[in-house]
Amino acid sequence: MKLLIPNSNEIELKTLILDLNGTLTVRGVLVKGVSKKLKVLKNKGLKVVLFSGDTRGNGKDISDKLGIEFFVTSTGEEKRIEASKLNPETCIAIGNGLIDTALFRTVKLSIATLQSEGVHVKCLEEADIVVCSILDALDLLIDEKSLVSTLRV
Ligand SMILES: [Mg+2]
């Protein structure tokens, strides 16, 4: 996905890094509608991966269901290291926790979701964009003009 940001540079986004708890799921349950939107993004050529500390032990089940690769990352530093292997200048990250802070600092574009599990203030401070839900975050990537509009200088 290539985005031409008016009065700024063109950016190319190839990989979407998702957090699990409080982002893809709320209280352990996958947010309804996520699967369909991820299919749209995969069809657009975006690689989608899950980075999670796996607090609830359901990371594998959910990643299998969504057809995405799962990396167990127990700390924020582990998320940062895994992202650094994926050409972070072409990565988008979506998350909500303190564990996502270093990841947000590493990737090209970071989106914090403020759902009912909340968002850590440090994660919020590192985010490029804050949205109300994972569905809103995925819609920003599906409708690229909304994303360009939010990012333009
Ligand atoms: Mg989380």
Side-chain angles (χ1 to χ4, degrees):
M1 172 191 303
K2 280 187 183 170
L3 300 176
L4 182 59
I5 313 294
N7 310 313
S8 186
N9 298 328
E10 183 180 79
I11 57 174
E12 186 169 17
L13 301 169
K14 294 180 178 172
T15 305
L16 171 59
I17 302 169
L18 297 166
D19 168 56
L20 182 60
N21 290 296
T23 302
L24 280 188
T25 63
V26 173
R27 284 177 283 283
V29 179
L30 187 64
V31 174
K32 197 177 171 196
V34 162
S35 181
K36 198 171 163 187
K37 290 187 192 298
L38 286 182
K39 268 185 203 136
V40 174
L41 289 172
K42 283 195 276 184
N43 286 339
K44 285 175 78 139
L46 210 59
K47 176 182 176 174
V48 184
V49 298
L50 177 65
F51 285 9
S52 175
D54 206 16
T55 304
R56 292 177 185 269
N58 59 349
K60 189 177 182 311
D61 281 354
I62 290 190
S63 58
D64 284 352
K65 187 175 175 185
L66 296 173
I68 62 178
E69 207 176 339
F70 174 41
F71 297 79
V72 179
T73 45
S74 302
T75 63
E77 181 60 6
E78 283 182 26
K79 286 201 179 196
R80 188 194 65 75
I81 289 167
E82 287 304 325
S84 71
K85 297 173 189 168
L86 296 171
N87 193 6
E89 275 302 294
T90 63
C91 290
I92 312 145
I94 306 176
N96 74 309
L98 181 58
I99 196 172
D100 300 305
T101 307
L103 172 66
F104 276 18
R105 224 177 280 134
T106 304
V107 297
K108 185 69 182 176
L109 178 70
S110 54
I111 307 176
T113 59
L114 178 47
Q115 301 178 118
S116 57
E117 287 190 24
V119 57
H120 196 284
V121 169
K122 286 186 177 157
C123 173
L124 196 68
E125 285 172 351
E126 289 295 338
D128 294 306
I129 301 172
V130 182
V131 292
C132 292
S133 76
I134 181 63
L135 300 179
D136 289 339
L138 298 176
D139 278 340
L140 268 182
L141 302 176
I142 290 169
D143 178 27
E144 293 167 30
K145 291 237 186 286
S146 332
L147 185 56
V148 168
S149 170
T150 303
L151 292 175
R152 67 180 295 156
V153 180

